[in-house]
Amino acid sequence: MDRKEYIQGIIIGVSAYLIWGLLPLYWKLVGQISPIQIFSHRVVWSFLFITIIMIVWKKGEAFRREISSIKNWLYFLWPSIFISINWIVYIWAVNNGFVLETSLGYYMNPLMVTLFGSLYLKEKLSRLQKFGIGFASLGVLIKTITFGKLPIIALVLALSFSIYGLMKKKSRVDSLTGLAFETLIIGIPSLIYMIIVETSGKGISGNLPVSFWPLVMMSGVLTALPLLLYAEGLKKLPMTVMGFIQYLSPTIGLFLGVFVFREPFDLSSLIAFGLIWIGIGFFIYSQVLLLRETNHPEI
């Protein structure tokens, strides 16, 4: 792997997870409408934003060729389903007081991503990365046990996004085209739902200020931009590396849940998350050594 490309991948991946980590603040802002409505707006405005980008980058013809194949519709259906599950559950959880459980889910996700990368893509782990996985796994296990019940929200979030990431890693198309296809597939039923809700008088029109429209339209940019960064990062980095960069997002979510949304955070949570942070430390150190130990352009 080219050293410059590797560093670019790190920067791109970090940028994606910074945006994702701060998203609970935005979902709270638009929480006056139901999670399904938020999801529908998120998908529709994302597709519009991506369409504008494709026009500017002159990728419209390539996209037209992709959607002309029935086989491609079936191929992109599955990642569309898994990212939809992830989005709906996440929005619902944030607006119903489960920000800390979403944080747990996204702490669990990198472990699943790393596991998928090792099992299906045959990516190898360094000794320090294995130590990191061990500490992080122990932290997640402690948190799961002390949670007192099966953390369904966390498990659904972790599994759905891990499967989506694996599919994106193996995708044969560029990041923008793939995301455009996914948002088109789930955008069609989402647009129909939006029209039904608005015409029935249960939507934004007539119930909320006109200024709410541009606010909810921002969901398109806040959705498409990190997904584009994520997909591009996956193409530049091993899946195991992207998996650990993802710890940035739930760490931000954790601090938001505790200090902004005032959700309960006891001693067992502190121990569990402390072990996870130690694991992240091992991983970060392994990446520093990886970049230092070579004086040539190959990673």
Side-chain angles (χ1 to χ4, degrees):
M1 184 184 297
D2 182 81
R3 181 187 179 90
K4 182 178 179 181
E5 184 177 79
Y6 187 87
I7 295 174
Q8 287 176 345
I10 294 290
I11 294 172
I12 290 171
V14 168
S15 299
Y17 288 116
L18 273 174
I19 296 172
W20 272 326
L22 294 171
L23 270 181
L25 294 172
Y26 176 75
W27 299 136
K28 290 285 187 179
L29 281 177
V30 295
Q32 293 163 278
I33 56 177
S34 72
I36 297 297
Q37 284 180 267
I38 296 174
F39 168 78
S40 299
H41 280 278
R42 184 181 193 181
V43 175
V44 171
W45 301 122
S46 294
F47 180 71
L48 179 61
F49 176 66
I50 295 165
T51 300
I52 294 172
I53 295 177
M54 286 195 297
I55 292 173
V56 173
W57 290 357
K58 299 180 179 179
K59 288 182 173 286
E61 181 59 28
F63 181 63
R64 188 194 64 78
R65 288 196 300 268
E66 290 292 330
I67 64 176
S68 64
S69 169
I70 298 297
K71 183 179 179 180
N72 287 342
W73 282 81
L74 296 175
Y75 176 83
F76 283 101
L77 175 63
W78 289 107
S80 302
I81 290 173
F82 283 105
I83 197 62
S84 296
I85 293 171
N86 187 273
W87 287 354
I88 293 173
V89 172
Y90 181 48
I91 293 169
W92 179 90
V94 167
N95 286 334
N96 283 274
F98 295 100
V99 174
L100 284 181
E101 190 172 345
T102 66
S103 176
L104 175 61
Y106 288 120
Y107 271 126
M108 294 168 65
N109 177 246
L111 302 177
M112 291 189 181
V113 169
T114 302
L115 179 63
F116 287 172
S118 299
L119 293 178
Y120 298 107
L121 304 178
K122 308 303 180 184
E123 296 176 354
K124 294 184 178 180
L125 301 173
S126 68
R127 181 181 298 178
L128 285 173
Q129 286 176 325
K130 290 178 181 177
F131 275 123
I133 290 176
F135 275 102
S137 299
L138 182 58
V140 169
L141 179 62
I142 289 174
K143 182 57 184 173
T144 301
I145 292 173
T146 57
F147 191 70
K149 60 180 179 179
L150 195 64
I152 298 297
I153 294 173
L155 288 172
V156 171
L157 290 175
L159 187 59
S160 59
F161 201 73
S162 297
I163 295 174
Y164 175 75
L166 180 62
M167 291 178 174
K168 296 296 288 185
K169 180 68 174 179
K170 300 175 75 172
S171 177
R172 57 175 177 74
V173 302
D174 65 87
S175 306
L176 183 62
T177 303
L179 183 56
F181 215 140
E182 292 161 11
T183 51
L184 174 61
I185 290 173
I186 54 180
I188 295 172
S190 295
L191 179 59
I192 294 172
Y193 176 78
M194 277 178 57
I195 293 172
I196 292 174
V197 170
E198 291 298 326
T199 54
S200 66
K202 298 179 181 179
I204 298 173
S205 301
N207 297 309
L208 292 168
V210 176
S211 59
F212 193 84
W213 277 103
L215 180 64
V216 78
M217 288 178 184
M218 282 179 57
S219 62
V221 177
L222 294 176
T223 295
L225 182 57
L227 276 173
L228 285 171
L229 292 171
Y230 173 72
E232 194 62 31
L234 277 174
K235 294 183 182 298
K236 294 179 180 293
L237 294 174
M239 197 169 180
T240 50
V241 176
M242 279 297 286
F244 268 91
I245 293 176
Q246 184 170 343
Y247 279 125
L248 177 63
S249 175
T251 299
I252 295 173
L254 171 66
F255 281 102
L256 289 177
V258 174
F259 297 108
V260 178
F261 304 129
R262 302 295 181 180
E263 294 184 16
F265 188 75
D266 54 18
L267 179 61
S268 64
S269 297
L270 179 61
I271 294 172
F273 283 113
L275 290 169
I276 292 171
W277 293 329
I278 292 174
I280 297 171
F282 274 111
F283 174 76
I284 293 174
Y285 185 54
S286 75
Q287 297 308 296
V288 173
L289 291 180
L290 183 63
L291 291 172
R292 282 181 178 176
E293 69 184 10
T294 175
N295 292 318
H296 51 78
E298 295 296 321
I299 290 295

mmCIF file of all heavy atoms in Angstrom, residues 256-271:
data_model
loop_
_atom_site.group_PDB
_atom_site.id
_atom_site.type_symbol
_atom_site.label_atom_id
_atom_site.label_comp_id
_atom_site.label_asym_id
_atom_site.label_seq_id
_atom_site.Cartn_x
_atom_site.Cartn_y
_atom_site.Cartn_z
ATOM 1 N N LEU A 256 -21.339 12.747 24.628
ATOM 2 C CA LEU A 256 -22.610 13.448 24.435
ATOM 3 C C LEU A 256 -23.687 12.866 25.346
ATOM 4 O O LEU A 256 -24.467 13.599 25.955
ATOM 5 C CB LEU A 256 -23.049 13.347 22.975
ATOM 6 C CG LEU A 256 -22.251 14.148 21.943
ATOM 7 C CD1 LEU A 256 -22.772 13.868 20.533
ATOM 8 C CD2 LEU A 256 -22.319 15.641 22.238
ATOM 9 N N GLY A 257 -23.736 11.525 25.421
ATOM 10 C CA GLY A 257 -24.749 10.871 26.247
ATOM 11 C C GLY A 257 -24.616 11.219 27.715
ATOM 12 O O GLY A 257 -25.612 11.439 28.411
ATOM 13 N N VAL A 258 -23.365 11.288 28.199
ATOM 14 C CA VAL A 258 -23.131 11.537 29.620
ATOM 15 C C VAL A 258 -23.234 13.018 29.965
ATOM 16 O O VAL A 258 -23.927 13.411 30.914
ATOM 17 C CB VAL A 258 -21.744 10.995 30.035
ATOM 18 C CG1 VAL A 258 -21.434 11.380 31.486
ATOM 19 C CG2 VAL A 258 -21.697 9.479 29.884
ATOM 20 N N PHE A 259 -22.549 13.866 29.201
ATOM 21 C CA PHE A 259 -22.409 15.272 29.586
ATOM 22 C C PHE A 259 -23.444 16.215 28.956
ATOM 23 O O PHE A 259 -23.712 17.288 29.500
ATOM 24 C CB PHE A 259 -21.001 15.768 29.243
ATOM 25 C CG PHE A 259 -19.912 15.056 29.998
ATOM 26 C CD1 PHE A 259 -19.077 14.161 29.343
ATOM 27 C CD2 PHE A 259 -19.746 15.256 31.354
ATOM 28 C CE1 PHE A 259 -18.081 13.494 30.028
ATOM 29 C CE2 PHE A 259 -18.751 14.592 32.055
ATOM 30 C CZ PHE A 259 -17.908 13.697 31.395
ATOM 31 N N VAL A 260 -23.999 15.823 27.811
ATOM 32 C CA VAL A 260 -24.978 16.687 27.150
ATOM 33 C C VAL A 260 -26.402 16.207 27.418
ATOM 34 O O VAL A 260 -27.271 16.989 27.820
ATOM 35 C CB VAL A 260 -24.726 16.761 25.627
ATOM 36 C CG1 VAL A 260 -25.795 17.625 24.953
ATOM 37 C CG2 VAL A 260 -23.334 17.331 25.341
ATOM 38 N N PHE A 261 -26.641 14.894 27.241
ATOM 39 C CA PHE A 261 -27.992 14.351 27.410
ATOM 40 C C PHE A 261 -28.231 13.767 28.800
ATOM 41 O O PHE A 261 -29.335 13.298 29.085
ATOM 42 C CB PHE A 261 -28.262 13.295 26.334
ATOM 43 C CG PHE A 261 -28.063 13.812 24.932
ATOM 44 C CD1 PHE A 261 -27.259 13.126 24.027
ATOM 45 C CD2 PHE A 261 -28.654 14.989 24.518
ATOM 46 C CE1 PHE A 261 -27.060 13.603 22.737
ATOM 47 C CE2 PHE A 261 -28.475 15.470 23.234
ATOM 48 C CZ PHE A 261 -27.671 14.782 22.338
ATOM 49 N N ARG A 262 -27.177 13.764 29.647
ATOM 50 C CA ARG A 262 -27.296 13.380 31.056
ATOM 51 C C ARG A 262 -27.857 11.971 31.270
ATOM 52 O O ARG A 262 -28.667 11.736 32.170
ATOM 53 C CB ARG A 262 -28.171 14.399 31.810
ATOM 54 C CG ARG A 262 -27.655 15.835 31.747
ATOM 55 C CD ARG A 262 -26.326 15.979 32.448
ATOM 56 N NE ARG A 262 -25.840 17.356 32.410
ATOM 57 C CZ ARG A 262 -24.695 17.756 32.945
ATOM 58 N NH1 ARG A 262 -23.923 16.869 33.546
ATOM 59 N NH2 ARG A 262 -24.316 19.015 32.861
ATOM 60 N N GLU A 263 -27.450 11.031 30.446
ATOM 61 C CA GLU A 263 -27.847 9.638 30.653
ATOM 62 C C GLU A 263 -26.971 9.023 31.754
ATOM 63 O O GLU A 263 -25.818 9.430 31.935
ATOM 64 C CB GLU A 263 -27.723 8.851 29.351
ATOM 65 C CG GLU A 263 -28.696 9.312 28.273
ATOM 66 C CD GLU A 263 -28.627 8.451 27.016
ATOM 67 O OE1 GLU A 263 -28.062 7.347 27.071
ATOM 68 O OE2 GLU A 263 -29.150 8.888 25.973
ATOM 69 N N PRO A 264 -27.488 8.039 32.527
ATOM 70 C CA PRO A 264 -26.727 7.464 33.651
ATOM 71 C C PRO A 264 -25.458 6.756 33.197
ATOM 72 O O PRO A 264 -25.444 6.051 32.182
ATOM 73 C CB PRO A 264 -27.725 6.472 34.274
ATOM 74 C CG PRO A 264 -28.720 6.192 33.199
ATOM 75 C CD PRO A 264 -28.832 7.443 32.400
ATOM 76 N N PHE A 265 -24.373 6.954 33.975
ATOM 77 C CA PHE A 265 -23.070 6.355 33.653
ATOM 78 C C PHE A 265 -22.421 5.935 34.975
ATOM 79 O O PHE A 265 -21.870 6.750 35.707
ATOM 80 C CB PHE A 265 -22.197 7.377 32.922
ATOM 81 C CG PHE A 265 -20.908 6.816 32.377
ATOM 82 C CD1 PHE A 265 -20.913 6.030 31.246
ATOM 83 C CD2 PHE A 265 -19.703 7.091 33.001
ATOM 84 C CE1 PHE A 265 -19.729 5.515 30.731
ATOM 85 C CE2 PHE A 265 -18.509 6.583 32.497
ATOM 86 C CZ PHE A 265 -18.526 5.792 31.363
ATOM 87 N N ASP A 266 -22.497 4.613 35.289
ATOM 88 C CA ASP A 266 -22.028 4.129 36.580
ATOM 89 C C ASP A 266 -20.583 3.624 36.511
ATOM 90 O O ASP A 266 -19.909 3.729 35.483
ATOM 91 C CB ASP A 266 -22.955 3.019 37.097
ATOM 92 C CG ASP A 266 -23.121 1.888 36.088
ATOM 93 O OD1 ASP A 266 -22.285 1.774 35.161
ATOM 94 O OD2 ASP A 266 -24.084 1.115 36.218
ATOM 95 N N LEU A 267 -20.108 3.048 37.636
ATOM 96 C CA LEU A 267 -18.722 2.582 37.742
ATOM 97 C C LEU A 267 -18.419 1.466 36.749
ATOM 98 O O LEU A 267 -17.344 1.438 36.132
ATOM 99 C CB LEU A 267 -18.431 2.103 39.175
ATOM 100 C CG LEU A 267 -17.017 1.570 39.420
ATOM 101 C CD1 LEU A 267 -15.977 2.651 39.154
ATOM 102 C CD2 LEU A 267 -16.896 1.047 40.860
ATOM 103 N N SER A 268 -19.362 0.539 36.584
ATOM 104 C CA SER A 268 -19.137 -0.565 35.651
ATOM 105 C C SER A 268 -18.983 -0.044 34.217
ATOM 106 O O SER A 268 -18.186 -0.568 33.433
ATOM 107 C CB SER A 268 -20.291 -1.570 35.722
ATOM 108 O OG SER A 268 -21.508 -0.977 35.292
ATOM 109 N N SER A 269 -19.729 0.997 33.903
ATOM 110 C CA SER A 269 -19.604 1.611 32.580
ATOM 111 C C SER A 269 -18.228 2.241 32.416
ATOM 112 O O SER A 269 -17.592 2.122 31.362
ATOM 113 C CB SER A 269 -20.686 2.671 32.374
ATOM 114 O OG SER A 269 -21.974 2.102 32.404
ATOM 115 N N LEU A 270 -17.756 2.891 33.473
ATOM 116 C CA LEU A 270 -16.434 3.522 33.429
ATOM 117 C C LEU A 270 -15.344 2.477 33.218
ATOM 118 O O LEU A 270 -14.419 2.678 32.419
ATOM 119 C CB LEU A 270 -16.184 4.291 34.725
ATOM 120 C CG LEU A 270 -14.825 4.987 34.841
ATOM 121 C CD1 LEU A 270 -14.656 6.018 33.733
ATOM 122 C CD2 LEU A 270 -14.669 5.625 36.220
ATOM 123 N N ILE A 271 -15.444 1.339 33.921
ATOM 124 C CA ILE A 271 -14.455 0.271 33.770
ATOM 125 C C ILE A 271 -14.488 -0.301 32.349
ATOM 126 O O ILE A 271 -13.453 -0.486 31.710
ATOM 127 C CB ILE A 271 -14.711 -0.858 34.793
ATOM 128 C CG1 ILE A 271 -14.474 -0.339 36.216
ATOM 129 C CG2 ILE A 271 -13.819 -2.061 34.510
ATOM 130 C CD1 ILE A 271 -14.879 -1.314 37.299
#
